[in-house]
Amino acid sequence: MIRENIRMAWLTVISHKMRSFLTILGIVIGTASIITLMTVISGVTSSINEEVATFGADRMSVQIEDATKNGISVIEVERLEAIDGVESLSPTTSHQAGVYLGGQTTEQSVLGKSDAFFSDSTLASGRGITPVDISERTRVAVIGDTIVKESFPTTSPIGETITIGGIRYIVVGTLAPSSEFSMSTDETIVIPVTTALHQFHVNTISTFDLYTESGQSETVSDELTQQLTTAFNGRDAFTVTSFEDALASIDQINSLLSMLLIGIASISLLVGGIGIMNMMLVSVTERTSEIGLRKALGATPAKIRQQFLFESVLLSVLGGLVGVVVGALLAFGLTVVMGVPFTLASSTVVLALGFSVVIGVIFGYIPARKASALQPIEALRNA
């Protein structure tokens, strides 16, 4: 009986091709919107997470913001580095200095950093600061991408001599272009932090990054906060930013955004559902004699209701399937243009098709109930 209902529903749909197409158009648009939005958002989220992960999900940044104390001493930094679960600590000092390179002197940003700052993704060429540079306070420098392009457009800067604040440094490496999710270092020169502290007569550090062992972020964060609170006598003088927390916040924001956009896209599905209900009501009116004849031959109201529900659901499923294909193509095009990964999750397809089936059942029930309520004699008389 179910197979027969499906066959009859299919014959009814294809017998009015244009009307059926216009009826399911709203379902197609709604389903395609859901597929496109969820796939693109998933790709953007994945891209952001990958970008943030390059800085280390197990990384914390600390900024000292105290009016009475510029930062913490080198000894206090070493104590923080000794916290259980801390893999390495990268202090940062920031200075402005006159720099002579490329035949001219300009005011440049100079950062003092340790070897923990450097990785394969940080460098474009050459090498970074090494532990030997830190311990020996060597005069070596790693220069930013913009400086390389402006001062050494046709030659490699590796091995060249530059002057920072009147002191000669050897360029040993170049920095990779900065990511949009990180602090820009394109116009920056990086030197060993110990060398910077000595040259610029600084004895405190106000900014540093901690790299923790996997799964130890929360424990390290608690101990770090406790030690800094003690160092500043309970004053709110520092900010700790965890990249793990940042990833969680990004995921939460994208989840809320997904729900909002799906809600907006669902309006198209509701419009499509109204179109299906309208077509089914017209179909009931057109097929009054058929309904009367079937009832006269013994068809129960439940069987009549079932037949019209099958037609409604078939229309919504067809619209959903077409919408999935259209949405996948649109999402693929958008992700290619935006440069983010394309991943069409099975859960997204199931959600979109599930919505379309639910719409078919809800908006098809009223016409089906109306058809099942017709009296055989009245139906045949009004045919």
Side-chain angles (χ1 to χ4, degrees), residues 297-336:
L297 293 174
T300 63
K303 297 296 183 184
I304 298 296
R305 187 164 55 246
Q306 188 181 71
Q307 179 188 343
F308 279 88
L309 271 176
F310 265 92
E311 291 180 19
S312 174
V313 171
L314 179 61
L315 284 169
S316 62
V317 169
L318 287 174
L321 290 172
V322 175
V324 167
V325 175
V326 173
L329 292 174
L330 284 173
F332 178 76
L334 286 173
T335 53
V336 169

Side-chain angles (χ1 to χ4, degrees), residues 37-38 41-42 253-263:
L37 290 172
M38 290 192 69
I41 289 174
S42 176
I253 291 171
N254 284 322
S255 295
L256 293 173
L257 182 61
S258 296
M259 292 175 62
L260 174 63
L261 293 175
I262 289 172

Side-chain angles (χ1 to χ4, degrees), residues 14 42 59 80 116 140 165 205 223 271 278 282 294 314 323-324 337 340 362 378:
I14 63 174
S42 176
R59 171 187 168 187
L80 296 179
V140 295
I205 294 170
E223 179 64 23
V271 173
N278 182 61
V282 172
R294 291 190 64 188
L314 179 61
V324 167
V337 171
V340 299
I362 293 175
E378 292 297 323

Side-chain angles (χ1 to χ4, degrees), residues 28-111:
V28 171
I29 294 173
T31 306
S33 299
I34 291 175
I35 293 289
T36 303
L37 290 172
M38 290 192 69
T39 302
V40 171
I41 289 174
S42 176
V44 170
T45 302
S46 176
S47 179
I48 292 174
N49 287 345
E50 287 178 6
E51 191 70 38
V52 173
T54 59
F55 307 111
D58 297 315
R59 171 187 168 187
M60 286 180 285
S61 292
V62 180
Q63 178 70 46
I64 307 299
E65 302 166 340
D66 187 60
T68 60
K69 189 177 179 182
N70 293 329
I72 58 178
S73 66
V74 174
I75 294 176
E76 288 173 311
V77 169
E78 291 174 351
R79 287 184 190 145
L80 296 179
E81 191 171 12
I83 294 175
D84 288 339
V86 174
E87 198 169 77
S88 60
L89 186 149
S90 175
T92 300
T93 61
S94 182
H95 319 274
Q96 288 294 125
V99 177
Y100 179 81
L101 76 168
Q104 60 181 351
T105 300
T106 57
E107 194 76 8
Q108 296 284 356
S109 172
V110 179
L111 298 181

Side-chain angles (χ1 to χ4, degrees), residues 59-366:
R59 171 187 168 187
M60 286 180 285
S61 292
V62 180
Q63 178 70 46
I64 307 299
E65 302 166 340
D66 187 60
T68 60
K69 189 177 179 182
N70 293 329
I72 58 178
S73 66
V74 174
I75 294 176
E76 288 173 311
V77 169
E78 291 174 351
R79 287 184 190 145
L80 296 179
E81 191 171 12
I83 294 175
D84 288 339
V86 174
E87 198 169 77
S88 60
L89 186 149
S90 175
T92 300
T93 61
S94 182
H95 319 274
Q96 288 294 125
V99 177
Y100 179 81
L101 76 168
Q104 60 181 351
T105 300
T106 57
E107 194 76 8
Q108 296 284 356
S109 172
V110 179
L111 298 181
K113 287 187 174 290
S114 72
D115 56 292
F117 169 76
F118 293 91
S119 64
D120 292 339
S121 61
T122 310
L123 292 168
S125 64
R127 68 171 179 87
I129 305 298
T130 66
V132 173
D133 294 322
I134 300 298
S135 61
E136 299 296 327
R137 293 196 310 204
T138 58
R139 294 172 180 173
V140 295
V142 182
I143 61 178
D145 183 65
T146 300
I147 297 175
V148 174
K149 292 176 180 176
E150 292 179 352
S151 301
F152 304 96
T154 58
T155 60
S156 171
I158 307 298
E160 295 290 335
T161 299
I162 63 175
T163 301
I164 302 175
I167 297 177
R168 292 159 63 89
Y169 284 77
I170 301 297
V171 177
V172 295
T174 63
L175 295 170
S178 298
S179 164
E180 58 184 312
F181 298 104
S182 66
M183 180 186 72
S184 176
T185 55
D186 292 342
E187 298 182 6
T188 297
I189 297 173
V190 179
I191 62 176
V193 62
T194 50
T195 307
L197 291 172
H198 177 73
Q199 177 173 343
F200 295 102
H201 309 291
V202 178
N203 54 18
T204 59
I205 294 170
S206 60
T207 304
F208 54 91
D209 295 327
L210 282 95
Y211 299 87
T212 66
E213 297 172 2
S214 180
Q216 296 295 313
S217 295
E218 188 173 347
T219 303
V220 171
S221 179
D222 292 341
E223 179 64 23
L224 173 67
T225 301
Q226 183 179 342
Q227 288 201 25
L228 287 175
T229 301
T230 302
F232 287 97
N233 300 317
R235 295 194 306 275
D236 185 17
F238 59 91
T239 301
V240 179
T241 303
S242 169
F243 280 78
E244 195 173 66
D245 293 340
L247 286 172
S249 298
I250 290 170
D251 287 338
Q252 183 178 10
I253 291 171
N254 284 322
S255 295
L256 293 173
L257 182 61
S258 296
M259 292 175 62
L260 174 63
L261 293 175
I262 289 172
I264 295 173
S266 297
I267 295 174
S268 296
L269 284 175
L270 293 176
V271 173
I274 294 171
I276 288 177
M277 183 172 65
N278 182 61
M279 176 185 170
M280 295 308 298
L281 287 171
V282 172
S283 181
V284 170
T285 303
E286 291 178 344
R287 296 159 63 188
T288 301
S289 60
E290 176 194 330
I291 296 169
L293 182 59
R294 291 190 64 188
K295 281 201 164 189
L297 293 174
T300 63
K303 297 296 183 184
I304 298 296
R305 187 164 55 246
Q306 188 181 71
Q307 179 188 343
F308 279 88
L309 271 176
F310 265 92
E311 291 180 19
S312 174
V313 171
L314 179 61
L315 284 169
S316 62
V317 169
L318 287 174
L321 290 172
V322 175
V324 167
V325 175
V326 173
L329 292 174
L330 284 173
F332 178 76
L334 286 173
T335 53
V336 169
V337 171
M338 296 171 67
V340 299
F342 170 77
T343 305
L344 181 58
S346 57
S347 58
T348 302
V349 176
V350 170
L351 177 65
L353 288 177
F355 262 123
S356 63
V357 171
V358 169
I359 290 294
V361 172
I362 293 175
F363 287 91
Y365 180 77
I366 293 177

